Amino acid sequence: METMRGWRLFVSTTERECALDPWQWRPAPRTGWRPQTLGRWCIPAWRRASGASIKNSHTDASAPTTMCDSSVHQVLVLVNPQSVTVAESMLFTCCSTVPSVLAYWTDWTAWSSCSATACNDVGIQVRRRKCMSTQPMPALLTPTCPGPNTERRECSTPPCRAKWGQWGMWSACSVTCGKGRRGRRRSCMKSSDDVECTGRPVEVQKCGNTPCAVVCQRVCPEGRPSEDCTHCVCEGKMLEGEVLSVTGVPVSGASVAVSDRPKLIRTLTDAKGLFKIPGVCSGPETQLLISKEKYAPTTVPVYSNSSESLWIRVLLRSSEKPYIVKHPEDKVRYEGQRVILCCKATGTPSPDKYHWYHNGTLLDQKKYKYDEDLVLRDLKPEESGEYHCKATSLTGSIKSSPAFLTVFAKRTPACKASPESHLVRLPIDCKQPGTQSKFYNAGRCPHNSCPGSQDFDLRCRDVSSFCCGVKQMEAKQINCGGYTLPIKVVSECSCQKCVEPKILVRGRVVAADNNEPLRFGHIVMGRERVGTTGYQGGFTIQVPSDTQRLVVNFVDPSQKFVDTLKVFIFDKKSGAVYHDVKVMRKKEPVDISAAETNTIYLGEIEDEDPIGQLVIPPNSFHKSTGETYEGTVKASVTFFDPRNITAAAASPGDLNFVGDEGDILPLRTYGMFSVDFRDDANKEILGAGEVQVLLDTQHVKMQEHIPAMKLWSLNPDTGIWEEEGNFQPTQVTTEGNGRRKREERTFLIGNMEIRERRLFNLDVPESRRCYVKVRAYMSDKFLPTEQLEGVVISLINLEPKPGYSSNPRAWGRFDSVITGSNGACLPAFCDGQRPDAYTAYVTAIMGGEELEAAPSAPKMNPNIIGVSQPYLDKLDYQRSDHDNPALKKTAFRINLAKPNANNLDETNGPIYAYQNLIECENAPADASHFRFFRVEKDKYEYNVVPFEESDLTSWTGDYLSWWPNPQEFRACYIKVKIQGATEVMVRSRNLGGTHSMTRGQLYGIRDIRSTRDMNHPNTSAACLEFKCGGMLFDQAAVDRSLISVIPQGNCRRTGINNLLQEYLTKHPPVLQNNETHAFNMLAPVDPLGHNYGIYTVTDQNPRIAKEIAIGRCFDGTSDGFSREMKSDSGVALVFSCPKRTVNRESLFQRLQTNPGQTLAQMARDMRESQGMQVRRGLPQVVAYPSDQQARTQGRRTSTTNRRRTGTRTQPRK
């Protein structure tokens, strides 16, 4: 076998090294060796498994494949680089002795320690090996081994740490007696100065329980110091006293204590309100604290009367929860300015703590140093937001209404100069060429407040308020096709003083049973009488501008009606709101004996069990002096029965109470009652002691309400219901009567005292609350741009439907809100488990007029009602005439089913969860909602200077303003009678008349369709508004506006009111009325009445003035009101508008009846027309243009031809 030239030999001294690095190459120790000298060979197991074999490069003979035994110590690798690759190399294991090598490496040493010593650092570790020779080497020579003898790698130290050591021993106490302190320390062990231990190195605790010897320093003017040195003790002296209520009734069970030790009760008053305390010294430093539940604590000094016995008398006032009398107001400031927000609360006792909140977060009192008032200096824009205060006393807390603070950044305009878009609807006959649009953009300034300039900015109420208003207007002309219409548009806005309208509440007070008016009743606000109702029960109240809650009490001097307290809603923007006030008639008094036990039933309805009863023990009545009354009592207890829905509108207050955190929360009533006990002899009002109130639980259909039932009394100053006591369930045996047998029933029994308050309530707090979205519209077209503001929407929560639990007449709550620009959200009770657990009865009133609800019969239309299916079926919407068309259409009833958040159909209104009030208020116009609309004929109003009557702040001072004074609005109407079979539109065109700045210029246009008189056939009448004569906005001169009354149709004037004609003649200039199709006059300056056919009403609100004037005009009187047109009373003008008769057939009719003759006649007419054109020839010189002449003659000829044709084609008789 030849020598293997070109082969290299790999030698490994151990099997382990071969296994670790099987491809490490080393030069062979010699060359020219032969394979046969290598002895036997075998393949390693991992190579053998792949089927490899040992081959000779010359003979291709396979070597034996026997596995090596344990003597293996060398591994040879032969590779022929000319014939095989590294991946195809053949490994051999030698089982016999091979030639030894000259040099080799030793094993690696261990890694050295990391070169970095600081914590959280990076360093290097090193390890080494040594090259060894198998044979002795000459001096100064070292063996040569391939590869490095040193290896390095990166290393890191542990992160820096710091931890506390063990605490040391406690030090000695700082005092030897009394209370002191002691401490202990600990050390921080850290690996770097860059880290610290968390916590304190020192701990201190109190120590010392051994009392020091007391040396009393108290000096007593008389007597000696007590053992604990807290007060003086006078041996042998006796303090006696008497505790009475403010009405003179003895207060039993009141605790008596010394004021400097209030928790140490010295004694309690007995049944007569008397008490005794021995050893009490007199003097100004001795103060007694008298307290009892439901009374305000009282502190009184003890003075000497130069005798051994001391006597004091204490009057306790009933406690009252705090009530806000001054709310913080909205403010606007620039960055860097300052502001003050004021809050004031009253109560018994007076509140002693105030807390302020910004966007619901409590402000740090140490930082802001506030009490009743909050002062913010160097304002920043991020301090904008809502602020409110919370006042707290011993009896509870109350939150104020929120005030919004707006802070504008520097160099940020508070009012944008460019106006925002505002579309004005044009008259029906005005169509703009090109666009055919019925709207024109008149522009308006945004409704936001401005900082303005304040002479002194730290006032609770800014002296002047500034708003973004009109700075400049520009006159424009609207092309209406056949005519032009003037308009003034807003061209520039700026900050100006706000227009502040008078805030009014108007209405009428009538009996709930028969609408009998409360004549000359007293109107009381707080403790002050502010007015009197009129003969018809009407009233007007001017609301102070800083009022947040308007509480009004109507008192009947004749004692025919129950004194009724109302909490009115009002509108600061629109100026006036109308309320229909219902009062309950007093129940006739009955005679009862004060010396006997008396039972008075609550809620006596025929064939129904009473809801409850009052049980008055004997000798419980007392006079105002506290003296017990023993005679005959005239007792009148009037019950507001929830089973009678007519009593809902007469319910006093707004059925709210104040929660523990100061929030105003709703109540659900099971009946209210007013008590009136009087002396039979001199009619003096009597009080009563411990009176029992029993409530029959069979009338409480929601079982969860029974344990929560409480007795409440109405605070006459705040209109808030306050808790009187709890109820306890008791089994009572009731006597049989008539059809009923003697039986056991469960009653809720509570106790109360009848003192200053006379109105009581059986209520439960209800947490299942929702909001109902309602909108009001100008007509049944339900256009989003025609929503009505200032409409009073009322919702009565009703008992569940029969089958669930109760009588459908029963009600539980009454709420009212006012619609704004985006409708209204009414609070209501609702239930998520049963859709009919609560139902609601909803009505709408505007200026005394009831609006009509969307119809539900004969078939419910979701597009008309405003609620999509299937939620509409779940709510079961029904208008009041759903089952009986004879009933009024002014209300609807729904189930108050709480929306399911997981049901997409119920997340878009009209019912919203209580926490989603913001979502309800900001709901878009296309979201589900319920609807009301005004029932009136077609009406249109156009003002050259645009003005929104629902927002008095939009008034602009201009000579052409329809209303010249934003504080006083005068509405004028003229009554026009129409004789004809159809109703017609009547227009008033109002121009400037006698004023030099407005003469001949348009103020506005009014259109109204006449209303049919149901008592006179072929007769209707229209109440048409016109521009009143009088001063303009500059108050410099009077303008008698020029009025043109024009019926739109085939009408002819047939009559003028004689008195009106005479007035116009006597007040020149007199306008000529030569045209019979219209009537012209200069508006009278005097407020003429119904005898002239002119109706004039002046009010602080334009809508109220117009509603009253329209009502009088319909009625035809100067002081009446009607919604039914009376065309024969109080008429100014009479027009005859006969129906136009058709005296010839149309072309279509002639083609149907006689087509041959008609076509022949059409051919003759065409030939005649062509012949006339040929004979006319070339144009001639005439006094007017030839084309005009041709058109004129053509019109005359065609007219003649039509007449001839019509004559020839008359059907034969």
Side-chain angles (χ1 to χ4, degrees):
M1 186 176 296
E2 297 181 2
T3 304
M4 300 178 63
R5 297 178 180 177
W7 292 81
R8 292 186 296 173
L9 176 66
F10 169 82
V11 180
S12 177
T13 56
T14 64
E15 184 182 9
R16 175 177 177 273
E17 187 175 352
C18 180
L20 291 175
D21 197 358
W23 299 102
Q24 186 169 356
W25 296 93
R26 299 176 184 173
R30 59 187 177 88
T31 58
W33 54 273
R34 297 181 181 276
Q36 61 267 22
T37 62
L38 299 178
R40 300 171 55 217
W41 295 87
C42 67
I43 302 175
W46 64 273
R47 186 66 172 169
R48 187 179 173 191
S50 62
S53 61
I54 304 173
K55 296 183 179 180
N56 187 287
S57 60
H58 297 282
T59 61
D60 291 332
S62 297
T65 58
T66 306
M67 294 297 295
C68 300
D69 56 17
S70 58
S71 63
V72 174
H73 64 278
Q74 288 183 331
V75 177
L76 304 180
V77 179
L78 297 178
V79 176
N80 187 346
Q82 296 179 354
S83 60
V84 294
T85 62
V86 175
E88 297 172 343
S89 59
M90 293 176 291
L91 282 72
F92 304 90
T93 302
C94 180
C95 299
S96 62
T97 305
V98 297
S100 60
V101 297
L102 297 177
Y104 61 93
W105 287 110
T106 62
D107 292 338
W108 288 100
T109 63
W111 289 101
S112 65
S113 60
C114 193
S115 61
T117 57
C119 60
N120 200 26
D121 199 359
V122 178
I124 296 176
Q125 283 181 302
V126 180
R127 70 174 181 176
R128 293 179 174 83
R129 61 182 176 178
K130 189 175 183 182
C131 183
M132 303 296 293
S133 175
T134 59
Q135 298 177 1
M137 298 290 294
L140 302 178
L141 293 178
T142 58
T144 302
C145 298
N149 66 339
T150 303
E151 281 189 350
R152 291 176 172 82
R153 70 178 182 183
E154 191 180 79
C155 60
S156 62
T157 57
C160 300
R161 301 181 183 277
K163 67 176 183 177
W164 290 108
Q166 296 294 324
W167 283 104
M169 299 295 292
W170 287 103
S171 64
C173 192
S174 60
V175 296
T176 57
C177 69
K179 295 183 179 181
R181 296 178 181 273
R182 64 175 183 171
R184 62 177 181 175
R185 295 180 178 273
R186 59 179 176 176
S187 300
C188 179
M189 297 178 291
K190 51 187 179 180
S191 58
S192 173
D193 293 336
D194 295 333
V195 293
E196 297 291 341
C197 295
T198 302
R200 298 181 179 179
V202 180
E203 190 174 57
V204 179
Q205 67 175 197
K206 296 179 180 179
C207 61
N209 294 322
T210 304
C212 298
V214 177
V215 178
C216 184
Q217 302 295 329
R218 177 178 292 275
V219 177
C220 295
E222 57 177 332
R224 58 174 180 80
S226 62
E227 295 181 359
D228 56 1
C229 200
T230 57
H231 60 279
C232 296
V233 177
C234 292
E235 302 289 350
K237 280 203 170 186
M238 180 67 69
L239 171 64
E240 299 183 39
E242 181 182 24
V243 180
L244 306 174
S245 68
V246 292
T247 58
V249 179
V251 178
S252 62
S255 60
V256 184
V258 181
S259 59
D260 53 3
R261 302 187 69 183
K263 295 184 178 180
L264 179 60
I265 305 301
R266 302 292 296 274
T267 187
L268 297 175
T269 58
D270 59 17
K272 296 183 179 180
L274 303 176
F275 68 90
K276 293 182 180 180
I277 304 178
V280 177
C281 300
S282 61
E285 69 279 356
T286 303
Q287 301 274 335
L288 290 186
L289 176 64
I290 315 296
S291 58
K292 187 185 178 182
E293 187 181 3
K294 299 182 184 178
Y295 289 90
T298 302
T299 302
V300 293
V302 178
Y303 293 104
S304 174
N305 57 358
S306 66
S307 67
E308 294 298 322
S309 179
L310 304 177
W311 173 264
I312 62 172
R313 170 174 288 180
V314 181
L315 296 180
L316 288 183
R317 294 186 59 188
S318 298
S319 61
E320 295 180 354
K321 287 195 172 185
Y323 176 69
I324 301 292
V325 295
K326 186 175 188 58
H327 296 261
E329 299 187 8
D330 295 347
K331 299 290 182 73
V332 184
R333 294 290 189 270
Y334 280 118
E335 182 178 4
Q337 291 184 330
R338 59 184 183 176
V339 71
I340 184 172
L341 300 174
C342 301
C343 179
K344 178 66 176 177
T346 185
T348 307
S350 298
D352 54 356
K353 294 180 181 179
Y354 286 85
H355 296 91
W356 281 91
Y357 296 80
H358 176 216
N359 292 334
T361 301
L362 177 64
L363 297 178
D364 187 358
Q365 193 168 20
K366 294 181 179 179
K367 177 181 178 181
Y368 292 93
K369 297 179 175 58
Y370 59 74
D371 45 18
E372 297 177 1
D373 303 332
L374 173 66
V375 179
L376 302 174
R377 293 179 170 84
D378 192 20
L379 289 169
K380 301 291 188 299
E382 54 268 22
E383 292 182 280
S384 298
E386 282 190 353
Y387 289 82
H388 76 269
C389 76
K390 182 169 79 170
T392 304
S393 70
L394 294 176
T395 56
S397 301
I398 183 67
K399 291 181 181 178
S400 71
S401 298
F404 199 85
L405 173 64
T406 304
V407 181
F408 286 97
K410 294 180 179 178
R411 295 179 295 278
T412 300
C415 178
K416 294 182 179 180
S418 57
E420 61 185 19
S421 176
H422 176 58
L423 298 179
V424 175
R425 189 161 62 98
L426 301 179
I428 191 173
D429 57 349
C430 178
K431 294 183 179 180
Q432 303 174 74
T435 63
Q436 298 295 313
S437 174
K438 301 293 296 181
F439 294 89
Y440 190 84
N441 184 13
R444 66 179 174 188
C445 297
H447 296 294
N448 63 275
S449 301
C450 298
S453 58
Q454 304 291 337
D455 55 347
F456 183 63
D457 54 2
L458 287 183
R459 286 190 175 98
C460 292
R461 179 177 176 81
D462 291 340
V463 176
S464 300
S465 56
F466 295 85
C467 301
C468 188
V470 177
K471 180 180 181 181
Q472 186 175 355
M473 302 190 76
E474 182 179 355
K476 298 269 189 177
Q477 296 290 329
I478 303 175
N479 184 2
C480 293
Y483 66 96
T484 58
L485 190 67
I487 189 172
K488 288 199 171 184
V489 300
V490 179
S491 58
E492 187 178 358
C493 303
S494 65
C495 288
Q496 301 181 11
K497 283 192 175 182
C498 299
V499 176
E500 297 183 357
K502 292 182 180 179
I503 307 172
L504 301 176
V505 170
R506 308 187 64 162
R508 186 165 176 254
V509 186
V510 296
D513 54 0
N514 62 357
N515 287 333
E516 178 186 351
L518 172 61
R519 295 187 171 100
F520 313 118
H522 297 169
I523 304 174
V524 180
M525 293 176 59
R527 307 276 180 173
E528 182 181 355
R529 177 178 166 185
V530 296
T532 304
T533 61
Y535 183 78
Q536 297 295 334
F539 66 92
T540 300
I541 301 173
Q542 183 167 344
V543 184
S545 58
D546 59 346
T547 302
Q548 295 290 334
R549 182 178 171 89
L550 182 61
V551 182
V552 180
N553 196 9
F554 295 95
V555 180
D556 182 14
S558 65
Q559 297 297 315
K560 185 186 298 184
F561 301 106
V562 174
D563 295 348
T564 302
L565 186 143
K566 288 291 182 180
V567 180
F568 285 130
I569 53 176
F570 54 92
D571 191 354
K572 291 186 176 181
K573 189 170 67 172
S574 65
V577 175
Y578 188 92
H579 291 276
D580 266 330
V581 180
K582 305 291 186 180
V583 294
M584 289 288 289
R585 193 179 301 276
K586 264 189 177 181
K587 191 171 183 180
E588 290 296 326
V590 295
D591 293 338
I592 60 176
S593 173
E596 299 176 357
T597 299
N598 295 279
T599 301
I600 301 176
Y601 291 97
L602 304 176
E604 295 181 285
I605 297 179
E606 187 176 356
D607 297 329
E608 296 281 348
D609 290 327
I611 287 180
Q613 52 188 276
L614 298 182
V615 179
I616 307 173
N619 302 318
S620 296
F621 292 101
H622 54 77
K623 299 181 180 180
S624 58
T625 59
E627 177 186 356
T628 301
Y629 179 76
E630 299 177 349
T632 301
V633 178
K634 291 284 187 181
S636 173
V637 178
T638 305
F639 188 66
F640 297 76
D641 200 324
R643 296 171 295 182
N644 183 4
I645 196 171
T646 60
S651 59
D654 56 359
L655 283 177
N656 289 327
F657 74 103
V658 179
D660 295 335
E661 295 299 320
D663 299 294
I664 295 182
L665 304 173
L667 290 169
R668 188 260 188 251
T669 184
Y670 280 91
M672 311 176 196
F673 56 94
S674 171
V675 297
D676 186 10
F677 299 140
R678 295 180 181 267
D679 181 352
D680 184 35
N682 53 21
K683 309 304 180 186
E684 178 187 356
I685 297 177
L686 302 175
E690 293 290 334
V691 177
Q692 277 192 341
V693 183
L694 281 73
L695 174 63
D696 192 347
T697 57
Q698 72 166 341
H699 297 286
V700 184
K701 304 303 179 181
M702 295 185 178
Q703 296 301 311
E704 64 270 23
H705 285 176
I706 293 178
M709 189 73 64
K710 293 183 179 182
L711 182 65
W712 309 76
S713 65
L714 183 64
N715 187 325
D717 297 328
T718 66
I720 296 290
W721 292 92
E722 298 182 4
E723 186 178 341
E724 280 283 332
N726 296 320
F727 283 95
Q728 298 296 330
T730 305
Q731 293 291 328
V732 177
T733 302
T734 59
E735 297 293 336
N737 55 32
R739 296 170 297 173
R740 299 187 182 274
K741 298 181 179 180
R742 181 187 181 96
E743 58 181 343
E744 289 280 341
R745 288 192 188 176
T746 301
F747 280 79
L748 297 177
I749 297 181
N751 296 312
M752 69 175 187
E753 294 183 10
I754 300 175
R755 302 187 296 269
E756 302 94 336
R757 300 182 183 179
R758 301 286 161 152
L759 271 169
F760 300 91
N761 202 346
L762 311 172
D763 278 18
V764 293
E766 178 61 273
S767 59
R768 295 175 291 183
R769 294 173 284 170
C770 290
Y771 285 98
V772 181
K773 186 71 174 185
V774 181
R775 300 180 190 268
Y777 294 89
M778 294 182 183
S779 68
D780 57 0
K781 298 177 183 178
F782 304 118
L783 298 178
T785 57
E786 295 184 349
Q787 293 192 60
L788 293 173
E789 299 184 42
V791 179
V792 179
I793 311 291
S794 299
L795 184 148
I796 304 174
N797 265 108
L798 300 177
E799 277 274 351
K801 295 173 61 177
Y804 172 71
S805 50
S806 180
N807 190 312
R809 293 179 301 170
W811 55 275
R813 183 173 174 80
F814 184 90
D815 284 284
S816 296
V817 296
I818 297 178
T819 58
S821 59
N822 198 34
C825 295
L826 289 96
F829 297 142
C830 63
D831 191 89
Q833 303 299 323
R834 299 175 181 265
D836 61 349
Y838 275 116
T839 59
Y841 184 82
V842 187
T843 60
I845 295 179
M846 181 178 181
E849 173 193 359
E850 292 181 311
L851 273 62
E852 189 169 307
S856 60
K859 183 179 180 180
M860 283 198 298
N861 187 337
N863 295 325
I864 294 178
I865 298 174
V867 182
S868 60
Q869 293 285 20
Y871 199 21
L872 179 59
D873 287 337
K874 186 177 181 180
L875 298 178
D876 192 21
Y877 176 91
Q878 292 185 8
R879 196 168 69 174
S880 49
D881 66 336
H882 183 81
D883 298 321
N884 185 359
L887 297 178
K888 297 172 69 175
K889 307 175 182 179
T890 55
F892 66 83
R893 186 198 60 77
I894 56 171
N895 291 337
L896 290 170
K898 186 176 181 180
N900 183 358
N902 298 322
N903 189 340
L904 186 62
D905 296 327
E906 301 180 10
T907 58
N908 195 34
I911 311 294
Y912 293 84
Y914 192 76
Q915 64 271 18
N916 296 338
L917 174 60
I918 302 299
E919 181 181 348
C920 178
E921 292 178 340
N922 298 331
D926 59 353
S928 294
H929 60 275
F930 295 109
R931 294 169 171 173
F932 285 94
F933 62 94
R934 295 192 67 175
V935 183
E936 62 179 16
K937 297 299 180 181
D938 294 338
K939 185 177 74 170
Y940 173 75
E941 299 178 358
Y942 174 79
N943 297 323
V944 171
V945 179
F947 172 67
E948 300 175 44
E949 293 179 355
S950 60
D951 183 6
L952 303 188
T953 60
S954 65
W955 181 86
T956 303
D958 191 274
Y959 282 103
L960 293 178
S961 295
W962 184 274
W963 307 98
N965 185 355
Q967 299 289 338
E968 186 176 77
F969 298 88
R970 189 182 181 195
C972 296
Y973 283 79
I974 184 170
K975 191 169 185 177
V976 182
K977 183 177 181 179
I978 303 296
Q979 295 176 336
T982 60
E983 302 169 352
V984 301
M985 293 291 295
V986 185
R987 168 172 290 184
S988 71
R989 188 173 178 85
N990 306 267
L991 305 174
T994 60
H995 198 286
S996 60
M997 298 297 295
T998 63
R999 186 178 295 114
Q1001 299 185 59
L1002 183 68
Y1003 284 110
I1005 295 174
R1006 297 292 187 268
D1007 290 340
I1008 186 69
R1009 186 175 295 277
S1010 60
T1011 303
R1012 178 67 54 194
D1013 188 340
M1014 304 306 296
N1015 297 320
H1016 295 80
N1018 297 329
T1019 304
S1020 61
C1023 293
L1024 181 65
E1025 185 184 8
F1026 65 89
K1027 178 71 170 68
C1028 300
M1031 291 285 186
L1032 299 186
F1033 87 101
D1034 61 356
Q1035 301 294 309
V1038 172
D1039 182 28
R1040 293 186 63 189
S1041 49
L1042 173 60
I1043 312 301
S1044 296
V1045 179
I1046 311 169
Q1048 297 178 1
N1050 182 31
C1051 298
R1052 181 174 57 88
R1053 190 181 72 249
T1054 59
I1056 302 177
N1057 186 292
N1058 293 331
L1059 292 177
L1060 176 62
Q1061 185 69 45
E1062 181 181 355
Y1063 176 88
L1064 296 177
T1065 303
K1066 291 182 178 180
H1067 295 79
V1070 180
L1071 298 181
Q1072 298 298 323
N1073 282 283
N1074 298 326
E1075 299 178 353
T1076 60
H1077 69 278
F1079 174 77
N1080 300 315
M1081 71 173 182
L1082 291 175
V1085 178
D1086 301 316
L1088 306 181
H1090 69 284
N1091 291 328
Y1092 298 79
I1094 303 295
Y1095 302 86
T1096 304
V1097 174
T1098 301
D1099 196 88
Q1100 287 83 1
N1101 182 269
R1103 293 184 304 177
I1104 297 296
K1106 292 166 72 171
E1107 289 296 330
I1108 296 175
I1110 291 174
R1112 294 177 180 176
C1113 179
F1114 268 63
D1115 193 56
T1117 61
S1118 295
D1119 57 357
F1121 188 90
S1122 176
R1123 279 299 177 207
E1124 295 183 0
M1125 179 59 72
K1126 301 176 182 179
S1127 61
D1128 56 347
S1129 302
V1131 176
L1133 303 173
V1134 180
F1135 284 86
S1136 176
C1137 302
K1139 187 176 181 180
R1140 189 185 298 271
T1141 58
V1142 179
N1143 54 13
R1144 62 185 178 87
E1145 291 180 314
S1146 66
L1147 176 62
F1148 180 73
Q1149 290 173 331
R1150 283 182 283 144
L1151 286 172
Q1152 284 186 327
T1153 57
N1154 196 346
Q1157 184 179 356
T1158 302
L1159 291 174
Q1161 181 62 41
M1162 290 174 63
R1164 285 194 297 270
D1165 290 343
M1166 292 175 65
R1167 286 195 296 270
E1168 289 180 5
S1169 178
Q1170 292 176 357
M1172 291 184 65
Q1173 291 178 1
V1174 171
R1175 288 194 300 271
R1176 187 177 299 120
L1178 296 174
Q1180 300 177 1
V1181 178
V1182 291
Y1184 49 85
S1186 58
D1187 58 343
Q1188 181 179 353
Q1189 180 186 14
R1191 288 195 302 268
T1192 304
Q1193 293 177 353
R1195 284 197 299 270
R1196 292 175 180 174
T1197 304
S1198 61
T1199 303
T1200 304
N1201 293 335
R1202 284 196 301 269
R1203 290 176 181 173
R1204 291 174 182 173
T1205 304
T1207 304
R1208 287 195 295 266
T1209 58
Q1210 287 293 333
R1212 295 180 180 180
K1213 298 182 180 179

